[in-house]
Amino acid sequence: MIIEKPDPQAFKSRSREAVQDPLLRRNIREAMDFLVDRRASQFPDQAEFERLRAIGESIRKDSLRRLPQLLEKLEARLQELGVSVHYAETPAEANALFRSIARRHQARCMVKGKSMVSEEIELNHEMEKVGVSCIETDMGEYILQLAGDRPSHIIMPAIHKTKEDIAKIFAGKIPDTAYTDDVDELISIGRRELRTHFRDAPIGVTGANFLVAETGTIVLVENEGNGRMCTSIPEVHIAITGIEKVVDRLDSIAPLFKLLTRSATGQAVTTYLNLVTGPRRPGERDGPREMHLILLDNGRTQAYRDDRFRATLQCIRCGACMNHCPVYTRVGGLSYGTTYPGPIGSIISPHLLGLESTKHLPTASSLCGACGDVCPVGIPIPKLLLSLRQASQNTLPPSSQPLIGQGSGRSIPEVLAWKIWRLLYANPQLYALFTWCATRMRWLTPSYQGGWTRARAPLRPARRSLRELISQQEGKAMRKP
């Protein structure tokens, strides 16, 4: 099934539609409140959270500082373990690697664990073009694949669906399935269907939460066991992830794992923590006979080369920022039109897709700071949003390298408005003349003022300026005997 390609340029129109949908708003609000409460229960001591966050932030910053060296170290170690390592600069290159491996094994089907990077490269869509079906095995992703829908949250992709929605999807899409909205029954139906695909698919695809350079380990965090089955049952395992996921040492995983699970789902630990270190060895009874790792750039080096944006790559994809974002909570993930929605999506998508198509996303924030407060690895998200807004208006220092699409948000009326504002505020006589005219001719104020008047009354100058009112009060006081 071909799913419509998302379009971040339609963010404003889709957001307006989303806020008019009371059912969608209620579903997302309840889900976000649930996740916020669960996370809070895991971090009852703010001081302990700050201590753990400082450790996680330090690990991620140090890993990014040495990223080129760690990638070389990881590649060498994985090759020693029998893993083929591939680098893909673009989604097209990554999909070409998948096609090549599938063609060599004459595969017509792949089973896929949850992977946002595979969503980033539109893997399902691209493989379908060459006759290879890519079956989602994460239950949320599987529901969306049946429905022809897209993930709206990076941890809980089908969070915008109710159990009644899922019951209708299963009854309509899975043969010989009766309608039921019993959650346990729905899960059993989904698992039963997926077993067949696990058994028959020659290739399993997963993402990776972390990569460990010193041991050549691919770390996979999950709750359903489908990731473990994708990595152990098919003859071939292909893992795909971004180049920024590497850390140096295995002992760095413990604090990052604690921060990830507690921030993402409010769990002390997840059900599964998979450490994959190469294909099946002689004497082992399960595991893939061939293994590949695809490391995707897709704009990440743009964020990496600039110190102001490098912190974006610290992200461990927990989703806590979107759970606490007042904008995401009201418009939902599908409004963003990107693989990564919410605050983290607003700071990473401009690097993956360019600022021209994503220029509205950095403005989709009230800058309340909640996203930065809960980030488990200390990403200064509000600061990055402001920097991207500046880049959109082409106001970064001339010495810096421009971002792709920099200046695309610049508009002549806005530039003129700010120039006039600067002229007035730099000249007291001119400012006084302007306020005198504005207060006396307030009846000329237009009733339509762009986006402001869609939900608010028009802005109109007062009958007299504050300066005039104070002068009048002082004059009266002086005239009193």
Side-chain angles (χ1 to χ4, degrees), residues 313-338:
L313 303 178
Q314 289 171 211
C315 181
I316 58 173
R317 304 291 191 269
C318 68
C321 58
M322 57 185 71
N323 300 346
H324 291 74
C325 176
V327 176
Y328 176 90
T329 305
R330 282 158 181 78
V331 303
L334 296 179
S335 299
Y336 290 79
T338 53

Side-chain angles (χ1 to χ4, degrees), residues 19 65 84 106 108 139 193 196 201 224 246 269 312 399 412 423-424 446 454-455 458 465 467:
V19 296
R65 184 177 57 80
S84 299
Q106 299 181 329
R108 311 309 303 170
M139 191 56 65
E193 282 297 304
T196 308
E224 299 179 13
V246 64
V269 293
T312 305
S399 58
I412 298 300
L423 181 66
L424 291 173
R454 285 198 188 99
S465 69
R467 186 184 295 272

Side-chain angles (χ1 to χ4, degrees), residues 199-217:
R199 184 193 63 200
D200 297 338
I203 296 178
V205 180
T206 68
N209 294 95
F210 307 106
L211 304 167
V212 183
E214 71 169 355
T215 56
T217 304

Side-chain angles (χ1 to χ4, degrees), residues 16 35 55 68 84 98 148 156 163 174 190 194-195 205 227 231 239 242 257 260 308 334 343 384 405 417 421 427 446:
R16 280 195 287 272
L35 289 171
I55 295 172
S84 299
F98 274 101
M156 297 186 170
K163 62 179 182 179
I174 300 177
L194 290 173
R195 294 281 170 178
V205 180
T231 60
F257 178 61
L260 174 61
R308 284 164 296 190
L334 296 179
L384 291 168
W421 180 88
N427 189 321

Side-chain angles (χ1 to χ4, degrees), residues 28 132 214 256 344 387 421 423 427-429 452 455 457:
I28 295 176
V132 179
E214 71 169 355
L256 293 176
I344 187 61
S387 296
W421 180 88
L423 181 66
N427 189 321
Q429 288 78 22
W452 178 263

Side-chain angles (χ1 to χ4, degrees), residues 107 109-111 135 196-204 233-236:
C109 177
M110 297 177 175
V111 285
I135 307 297
T196 308
H197 298 298
F198 281 123
R199 184 193 63 200
D200 297 338
I203 296 178
I233 297 177
E235 291 290 297
V236 180

Side-chain angles (χ1 to χ4, degrees), residues 398-409:
S399 58
S400 65
Q401 287 184 277
L403 306 182
I404 295 173
Q406 181 165 331
S408 55

